[in-house]
């Protein structure tokens, strides 16, 4: 498994605002779209493309077009905040949803919904802004591999070292892109320094 932490001053700036407890839901949603666009650019850097001819108003020129369907698998709820940005950026995208919820007492995740498009021979981007214990992401990534995916990336905004280790141990071929590798989990399994409960901040719950 490889871990890529985005090192970019714009990403750092967006994170400073996402972490700020004074940031309201509307701005929070906007910032999460902005940081997602930086993550998806990294995760698609090696996507195959094919040559094509395009007639500009000036002359005909050779260009390149993307040649691969990408599947986004959003871990509902918080992962939904990352879907629209990716769908808007890429020409051929299918979207799957897997609902996961952590028990508030034990922090153990259980799945309550799953709808996936075909995954074979496609780049699969599993998206969830928070990786804490790794329980939610590990279950979803297992489901995705079980459904035939072989090329899987996990796009995340804030990761805890504990969650990274879980994914690292379970999925040797997985590639993780995150905007921040934070310090640790607290005793309630929230990320420190983190940004609180992403879903609650996103949807004002
Ligand atoms: C959050 C987050 C991840 C999960 C991470 O979701 O969006 O899915 O916790 O924690 P883990 O790594 O310990 O599993 P939550 O369960 O709070 O549900 P929500 O998205 O509906 O708010
Ligand atoms: N889920 C969140 O939204 N935040 C955390 O810090 C941990 C899990």
């Amino acid at each position: 498994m490889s871990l890529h932490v985005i090192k970019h001053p714009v990403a750092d700036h967006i994170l400073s605002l996402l972490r700020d407890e004074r940031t309201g839901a509307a701005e929070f949603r906007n910032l999460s779209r902005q940081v997602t666009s930086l993550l998806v650019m990294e995760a698609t850097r090696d996507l195959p493309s094919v040559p094509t001819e395009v007639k500009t108003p000036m002359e005909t020129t050779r260009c390149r077009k993307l040649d691969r369907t990408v599947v986004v698998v959003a871990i509902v709820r918080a992962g939904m905040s990352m879907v629209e940005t990716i769908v808007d950026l890429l020409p051929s995208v299918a979207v799957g949803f897997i609902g996961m919820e952590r028990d508030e007492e034990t922090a153990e995740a259980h799945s309550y919904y799953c709808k996936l498009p075909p995954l074979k021979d496609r780049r699969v981007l599993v998206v969830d802004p928070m990786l804490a214990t790794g329980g939610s992401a590990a279950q979803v990534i297992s489901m995705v591999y079980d459904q035939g995916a072989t090329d899987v990336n996990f796009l995340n905004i804030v990761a805890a070292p504990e969650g990274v280790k879980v994914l690292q141990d379970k999925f040797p071929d997985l590639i993780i892109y995150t905007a921040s590798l934070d310090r640790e989990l607290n005793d309630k399994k929230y990320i420190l320094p983190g940004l609180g409960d992403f879903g609650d901040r996103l949807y004002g719950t």
Side-chain angles (χ1 to χ4, degrees):
M1 190 215 68
S2 62
L3 172 69
H4 300 265
V5 182
I6 306 276
K7 297 235 179 304
H8 198 293
V10 174
D12 291 344
H13 179 77
I14 296 168
L15 270 170
S16 77
L17 298 169
L18 280 169
R19 290 190 198 279
D20 193 325
E21 64 179 7
R22 295 167 302 181
T23 299
E27 191 188 357
F28 194 88
R29 283 193 292 275
N30 197 25
L31 291 162
S32 102
R33 284 193 286 269
Q34 291 172 8
V35 73
T36 300
S37 62
L38 299 177
L39 290 164
V40 74
M41 286 301 179
E42 289 303 318
T44 53
R45 193 179 278 283
D46 61 342
L47 270 187
S49 61
V50 288
T52 180
E53 289 211 332
V54 171
K55 195 168 174 307
T56 79
M58 312 304 289
E59 61 179 25
T60 297
T61 187
R62 286 167 67 79
C63 298
R64 298 195 70 85
K65 285 192 168 169
L66 286 170
D67 186 33
R68 181 105 178 244
T69 296
V70 170
V71 177
V72 183
V73 175
I75 305 184
V76 178
R77 244 179 347 167
M80 285 166 63
S81 65
M82 302 170 75
V83 171
E84 196 183 310
T85 304
I86 303 174
V87 169
D88 284 350
L89 271 170
L90 302 178
S92 177
V93 191
V95 185
F97 296 93
I98 299 184
M100 297 295 303
E101 191 168 29
R102 293 202 321 173
D103 182 287
E104 285 193 4
E105 297 301 316
T106 65
E108 270 178 41
H110 77 276
S111 166
Y112 59 86
Y113 180 79
C114 177
K115 187 108 185 162
L116 293 174
L119 304 177
K120 201 166 170 290
D121 299 327
R122 291 170 164 192
R123 165 76 44 94
V124 178
L125 306 177
V126 175
V127 299
D128 190 331
M130 304 304 277
L131 176 67
T133 65
S136 307
Q139 283 190 50
V140 167
I141 292 164
S142 289
M143 290 158 90
V144 159
Y145 278 122
D146 287 349
Q147 293 292 313
T150 49
D151 178 10
V152 184
N153 292 359
F154 179 59
L155 273 58
N156 164 259
I157 298 176
V158 178
E162 293 89 334
V164 169
K165 170 134 190 6
V166 165
L167 299 189
Q168 201 156 31
D169 291 347
K170 275 180 113 72
F171 309 109
D173 296 333
L174 180 73
I175 304 175
I176 302 180
Y177 294 90
T178 185
S180 178
L181 182 59
D182 274 17
R183 195 177 69 245
E184 60 183 347
L185 297 178
N186 70 7
D187 57 1
K188 294 203 169 335
K189 309 295 182 199
Y190 273 79
I191 302 170
L192 298 176
L195 48 72
D197 188 304
F198 200 99
D200 285 352
R201 296 196 61 188
L202 197 60
Y203 295 117
T205 47

